[in-house]
Amino acid sequence: MSDRELSCSNTAGQFMDRGRMNQNGVVQPLLTDLYQITMAYAYWKSGKTDDHAVFDLFFRTNPFHGEFTIFAGLDECLKFLDSFHYSDSDIEYLKQTLPEGTENDFFDYLGNLTAKDVTLYAIDEGTVAFPRVPIIKIEGPLIIVQLLETTLLTLVNYASLMATNAARYRMVAGKHVNLLEFGLRRAQGPDGGLSASKYSYVGGFDGTSNVLAGKLFNIPVKGTHAHAYITSFSGIGELKTRLLKHKTTGVTGDLLELAVQYRQALSQLLDVSTEESSEGELAAMVSYAIAFPDGFMALVDTSGLLNFSAVALALNDLGYRAVGVRIDSGDLAYLSCLARETFERVGEHFKVPWFSKLTIVASNDINEDTILSLNEQGHKIDCFGIGTHLVTCQRQPALGCVYKLVEINGQPRIKLSQDVEKVTMPGHKNAYRLYSADGHALIDLLQKVTEPPPVVGQKVLCRHPFQESKRAYVIPSHVESLYKIYWQNGKICQPLSSLEQVRERVQMSLKTLRNDHKRTLNPTPYKVSVSDNLYNFIHDLWLQNAPIGELS
C-alpha cells in the first residue's frame, strides 16, 4: 500500500462537509437491479457469505469522441455506503417480491447488512480518468460488494458524463466567457435535472437557472425573463407604475418618460424608426427595470435593442446600471456583433463609458459545435446559456461504466471475450500516473499491488495490455499514485472536498494534459499501460482460462 493509501482514523468523520452529506432520498439499497438481490440469495444459499471479493469500476471508451473523462460522483457513493441499510419496509417488500420458498433467514441476514466491512479505493473526484483504469475499486464480502454494483454505477455514470460534457463546453468557450446551465426543463426528470446542475458546475459552468440546485449545492443562480413577460404587455397604457426613486438621492423620477425621450434620440442615432419598436415591449422593459433596477437584463431581438438602450439610459439617469441583454433566436454571431456595436455607439454618444461593456448572453439550442462556429465568426457573446445539449448529453447519452469481479479469495478472475475491448484485467491493481519533465501527464500505468511503485528518474517498461509489440520505456519526472482509501471500517477516511474544490481540481487536472489530448478534432489518445509483470500475469491467466478448440 502506498503512503497515500492511509488507513482510516476514528476521527475521519470530522472532515465531512455536512452540507455535501445530505443524502438523496432516492439513493437507497433498493435502487438496484433485481438480479443483484437474487444473486445475493444464491451466494448466501451456497455458503459464500465469507468469500472476499475485489471489483473494479471502470469505463472502456472516453465519451464525445474525446480522449479524457472527468471522474465525478464519488461523494454520492460515499453517502450511499454511509447509509446502506435495508429498512423494515424494504425487507417486507423483498419478501413479497422474491420467489416463494426464499428462506426467512436470508431476510434476517439482509436486515443486519451494512457496508462496514467494505473498503473503497478511488481516484480523487474531479480528476481526469482514462479507459480501463479503475476509477473505483471495491473489496469486501462478496454479497455486499455485489449488492453495491448497480447503485454505484448509476451514481458515477451520469455524474462523470455530465462533468466531462461541461468541461468540454468550458474548453471551447474559453476561460473569459461565462457559462450558465439552463437545462432543467429538458432534463431526464427532476433528479436528472438536479444532477445536471451539480455536475455542470463541477465541470466548469459558472451558474444555473435551477433554484433548488442553488439551494442544495450553493451554486450561483442566474435568470432573466421569458418571452411571456414581453408579450404580457400590449402597450404603455398597461403600466401600473412608471416611477422609480433615484438610487442615491431618493428623488422619484418617471422612468417611462425618460425612456421615451431617450428612445426618440436613439432613433436618430441608430437610424431606427420608433415605429419599428413595440410599445408593449417598451412597457414590459420599463416594468421589469422598475422591479430590478440593479439587475436589468432583458430578452431582446434585433428591434428590441432600441427599447432596451432607451430604458438602460433612463435607469442611468436615476443612478442604476443595466446588466445587459439575452439573445434567444436568430443569427447569434450577427446579432451579438450588432448589439456590441450598438452599445459602443450609444455609450460614446451619451458619454456613458460602461454602456459599451454591457453583457450579451446567448441561449438558443447551443451545443459544442455551435460555440466553435461562433468562435470562427468572431462573436461578441459574453455568456452562453446552455440547456438541452448539455443536460441530456445528446452527443453521447451514456458513459458505459462497468463493474467487474477481478479477484475472489485471493484468486484472480478474468472475463474473456472475442472482443478484446471486453477482456478484463484481473487481480487487485494499483495505478500510477507518470509525468514528463514539462509537467504533463505522459502515461497511466497499472501494476499488481505486490509490485513496488515506479520511481522518479528510473526507467519503467510500459506495455499495452493486449498488443505485444506496443511497449515503451518511460523515465518519469514525477509519479502520482492515483488511489486513496476513501471508505474503510464503516467510516469515510479522507477529507471530503467541497463542490468548489472539486470544480477547481477539474481545471487543474485538465492542465496536466497536453493540448493535443484535449483538442476537439482528432485528439491524440492518452496511453494506458501495464507493467511487464502484470502483462505476463494477464496473458498467462488468459491462456489458462481460454478453451482449446479441436479440429476434425
Side-chain angles (χ1 to χ4, degrees), residues 368-423:
E368 198 177 314
D369 292 334
T370 305
I371 297 176
L372 288 168
S373 175
L374 288 168
N375 290 344
E376 293 175 355
Q377 297 174 68
H379 72 83
K380 301 297 181 182
I381 296 164
D382 301 297
C383 176
F384 289 105
I386 305 173
T388 306
H389 290 274
L390 174 68
V391 304
T392 65
C393 298
Q394 281 195 350
R395 198 171 182 183
Q396 181 177 324
L399 176 57
C401 285
V402 294
Y403 187 88
K404 298 298 181 184
L405 177 68
V406 294
E407 184 178 288
I408 188 160
N409 297 329
Q411 299 301 309
R413 291 292 185 266
I414 186 170
K415 177 196 172 186
L416 299 181
S417 172
Q418 290 183 335
D419 182 356
V420 174
E421 288 296 312
K422 291 192 173 184
V423 175

Side-chain angles (χ1 to χ4, degrees), residues 433-436 438-444 512-514 517 526:
R433 187 158 293 168
L434 311 185
Y435 290 82
S436 59
D438 64 4
H440 286 121
L442 191 61
I443 197 167
D444 278 13
T512 66
L513 297 186
R514 298 197 315 259
H517 293 309
Y526 181 86

